[in-house]
Amino acid sequence: MATILARSRSNHAAKNARMLSSYILDGLSNSSLSASNRWPVRKPNLIFNIVPQGYRYVVERFGKLHSIEHSGWFLAIPGVDTISYVIDVRERAIDIPPQSAITGDNVAVEVSGNLFVQFVDPQKAAYGALNPLYSITQHAQSAMRSAIGEMELDEILHGRARLNSMIKGGLQEAANPWGLDVKRYEITEITPDPQIRLAMDKQAAAERDRREHVLRAEGDKQRAQLTSEGVKISLQNESEGNLIRMKNEAEAAKIKQIKESEGQAEAIRQTAKAQAEALSNIATELQKPGGMEAAKLALAQNYVEMYGEMGKESNTMIFNDRPADVSGLLAQAVATMQAVTSSGKKKGKNVLGEIDTNVSLEENADMNTGAKSADGK
């Protein structure tokens, strides 16, 4: 009897110890422990029991797994059936406190995070581990320190998604025997050593200064390029304008010369035509009665006027050897009139040439006649 009582007391003490150890996560104080992370959660057998939505009840009969009850109601025999585990199958968040770790480039940091898990197998959750929530928390801390040790500080700061994936991958394999599904892991805060933070602040300030200088240099470069492009375009437009102006001036000069040449040619044609008409009229008038005498008188008058003009312009004068010989003068005029009469219908240029030729011959003849008269005297 005493032996039975001793065994009963020892079993009761072991049961109480199991309950106490499984209700509280090791390393966490009661003040910081949330009700959702307690393990295990039990419920008394009321014979007629109701399972809320989102929960699973693990029912043991004589200390052995009997059934897993889903949402709804069920009957249980009091004293025989025990509701040993009440498992919440909804997704839950577990806070991972800051953990000291050393990065791959030997920098001390403190990293905290949140772990999101969900029970998917109530039987494994009840019998896979003494406290699956505590186990997954400890494993998350270890996996986080291991992943940080494989990365440098810059990679950790700029590659949180990669770090989260590494930690989640390491946790999922270990959580399967405990009936847990690791949804995700999120890094919440990364705190480097104070000296490293001071160095990072200086580096960030230097980087900002460098970017400022780079942006300023790029701005100056672009401004110089745009200025040179503007000058280039201005010179190009100016040269094109000068070329167009020179072309227009050359074309205008060409047109002017052509017009002047055409005007001069037309003037010459009109002058020649007028001279030809004048000579034709003179020839016609000379053929009329009394026309020859009028021509002689006009020539004599012009001859006298010519000597008068020569006397005005110069002190030296050249006279005919017989200035008073009116007959010689009239002979020259008659020869001229006859030449004009014979070639009145020819062009002005040929008429003038013939007149000059006849006048020269008559002058020579007169000179010869004068010489003979002098010899006779």
Side-chain angles (χ1 to χ4, degrees):
M1 186 66 180
T3 304
I4 294 174
L5 291 174
R7 285 182 181 179
S8 177
R9 289 176 181 176
S10 62
N11 292 335
H12 185 67
K15 186 177 181 180
N16 291 335
R18 176 188 173 188
M19 292 176 61
L20 290 174
S21 64
S22 60
Y23 264 85
I24 301 174
L25 297 176
D26 296 340
L28 298 177
S29 62
N30 292 331
S31 60
S32 63
L33 182 64
S34 63
S36 61
N37 290 335
R38 290 183 302 153
W39 189 268
V41 178
R42 302 182 184 275
K43 192 177 186 304
N45 184 2
L46 302 177
I47 303 174
F48 184 81
N49 302 284
I50 297 176
V51 181
Q53 183 70 31
Y55 287 85
R56 301 291 185 271
Y57 285 1
V58 178
V59 180
E60 294 181 350
R61 179 169 291 179
F62 298 111
K64 183 180 179 181
L65 176 62
H66 174 65
S67 63
I68 297 175
E69 301 295 336
H70 294 263
S71 302
W73 61 272
F74 70 96
L75 299 176
I77 303 173
V80 177
D81 296 333
T82 304
I83 302 176
S84 302
Y85 298 93
V86 177
I87 300 175
D88 189 349
V89 296
R90 295 174 297 178
E91 183 178 341
R92 68 182 68 194
I94 301 176
D95 183 34
I96 307 299
Q99 301 294 314
S100 297
I102 303 297
T103 63
D105 51 351
N106 298 323
V107 178
V109 294
E110 289 188 355
V111 183
S112 60
N114 286 326
L115 177 63
F116 297 87
V117 296
Q118 183 180 13
F119 284 108
V120 294
D121 191 337
Q123 181 176 351
K124 290 183 179 180
Y127 305 105
L130 179 62
N131 191 332
L133 297 178
Y134 175 75
S135 300
I136 195 65
T137 302
Q138 295 298 316
H139 198 288
Q141 295 174 0
S142 177
M144 182 173 60
R145 285 192 293 266
S146 177
I148 289 174
E150 297 178 2
M151 301 174 64
E152 295 183 356
L153 180 59
D154 291 339
E155 295 178 352
I156 295 173
L157 295 176
H158 299 92
R160 290 195 178 188
R162 178 188 171 191
L163 181 61
N164 294 334
S165 299
M166 292 174 62
I167 297 173
K168 178 180 178 296
L171 290 175
Q172 185 61 57
E173 184 177 359
N176 286 331
W178 304 331
L180 287 170
D181 181 25
V182 180
K183 297 296 184 180
R184 59 192 177 276
Y185 186 90
E186 298 291 341
I187 297 292
T188 57
E189 186 177 0
I190 301 175
T191 306
D193 185 77
Q195 295 181 355
I196 299 299
R197 281 190 292 177
L198 181 61
M200 290 173 62
D201 292 339
K202 292 181 179 179
Q203 182 181 2
E207 181 67 19
R208 286 193 294 270
D209 293 338
R210 185 188 68 83
R211 291 181 180 179
E212 180 183 0
H213 290 303
V214 169
L215 293 176
R216 186 176 300 171
E218 290 180 353
D220 295 338
K221 178 181 177 182
Q222 293 180 358
R223 179 171 57 83
Q225 289 178 349
L226 294 177
T227 302
S228 62
E229 288 291 334
V231 173
K232 178 181 177 182
I233 294 173
S234 177
L235 294 176
Q236 183 177 0
N237 293 335
E238 184 178 357
S239 62
E240 291 179 355
N242 292 332
L243 178 61
I244 295 173
R245 180 175 57 80
M246 293 176 64
K247 288 182 178 179
N248 293 335
E249 291 179 354
E251 187 69 21
K254 178 181 177 181
I255 295 174
K256 180 181 179 181
Q257 291 179 358
I258 292 174
K259 295 298 182 181
E260 289 179 353
S261 300
E262 292 178 353
Q264 291 178 359
E266 184 66 23
I268 292 173
R269 283 195 297 270
Q270 295 296 331
T271 302
K273 183 177 180 181
Q275 290 178 355
E277 292 178 354
L279 292 176
S280 179
N281 294 331
I282 291 172
T284 302
E285 294 296 329
L286 288 176
Q287 292 177 359
K288 292 179 180 182
M292 186 62 68
E293 289 74 9
K296 291 179 180 179
L297 180 60
L299 287 174
Q301 184 178 358
N302 290 335
Y303 189 80
V304 173
E305 290 178 356
M306 178 187 71
Y307 278 109
E309 293 294 330
M310 291 175 61
K312 291 181 182 179
E313 298 294 333
S314 176
N315 294 326
T316 302
M317 296 181 65
I318 300 174
F319 291 94
N320 190 7
D321 57 349
R322 289 177 297 172
D325 190 359
V326 178
S327 61
L329 179 62
L330 293 175
Q332 293 179 1
V334 170
T336 302
M337 293 299 103
Q338 290 177 355
V340 170
T341 303
S342 63
S343 59
K345 294 183 180 180
K346 297 181 180 179
K347 294 183 179 179
K349 183 176 180 181
N350 296 330
V351 172
L352 292 176
E354 290 179 359
I355 291 173
D356 292 338
T357 303
N358 294 329
V359 170
S360 298
L361 292 175
E362 292 295 331
E363 287 179 353
N364 292 331
D366 293 338
M367 290 177 66
N368 292 329
T369 304
K372 289 180 179 181
S373 302
D375 292 337
K377 290 179 179 182

